[in-house]
Amino acid sequence: MNMSLNDEQLLRRIDEVLHYRWDPLGVSDSPEARDEYESYVPRTFQLLKATTDGSDVADYLHWLNTEQMGVGANRKHDAEIVDLLMRWRDQLSD
């Protein structure tokens, strides 16, 4: 799959935001855990590219928090992360 430079940059930003800002497990200060959230980047990217209001991205982050990781819900924090991701998406839009 050929991806635009902007999409490649957006993937990188999603990875960084999930690791350094979202970080529900509190591992952002551990270099050994730098890849902890990598597997969530592709789905977050797909949802982010398709969303209009970000609610589906927020729902995905909520699901990851509660079902995948079992750390509990933090809807307010998830909403802040989605807002940041959408700003990156808009900044890097083709």
Side-chain angles (χ1 to χ4, degrees), residues 22-38:
W22 180 57
D23 190 26
L25 298 175
V27 298
S28 65
D29 60 349
S30 299
E32 308 81 37
R34 180 57 186 91
D35 62 351
E36 182 66 35
Y37 309 118
E38 256 179 24

Side-chain angles (χ1 to χ4, degrees), residues 2-94:
N2 283 340
M3 196 174 271
S4 73
L5 181 59
N6 286 347
D7 280 351
E8 289 177 14
Q9 289 181 358
L10 182 57
L11 278 168
R12 192 170 323 121
R13 297 302 172 258
I14 292 168
D15 177 58
E16 292 169 349
V17 167
L18 292 182
H19 182 73
Y20 293 108
R21 297 288 304 274
W22 180 57
D23 190 26
L25 298 175
V27 298
S28 65
D29 60 349
S30 299
E32 308 81 37
R34 180 57 186 91
D35 62 351
E36 182 66 35
Y37 309 118
E38 256 179 24
S39 64
Y40 308 139
V41 171
R43 182 68 182 142
T44 303
F45 175 81
Q46 291 173 334
L47 291 169
L48 190 60
K49 291 290 282 187
T51 195
T52 54
D53 65 1
S55 63
D56 41 354
V57 181
D59 288 344
Y60 179 60
L61 295 180
H62 175 75
W63 178 80
L64 290 171
N65 277 327
T66 58
E67 301 298 321
Q68 285 292 109
M69 293 181 260
V71 295
N74 191 342
R75 291 258 188 205
K76 182 179 185 294
H77 181 64
D78 292 346
E80 292 168 359
I81 297 304
V82 170
D83 181 60
L84 178 58
L85 289 170
M86 290 181 67
R87 290 193 333 250
W88 271 116
R89 179 199 65 187
D90 295 345
Q91 176 73 27
L92 295 169
S93 65
D94 290 327

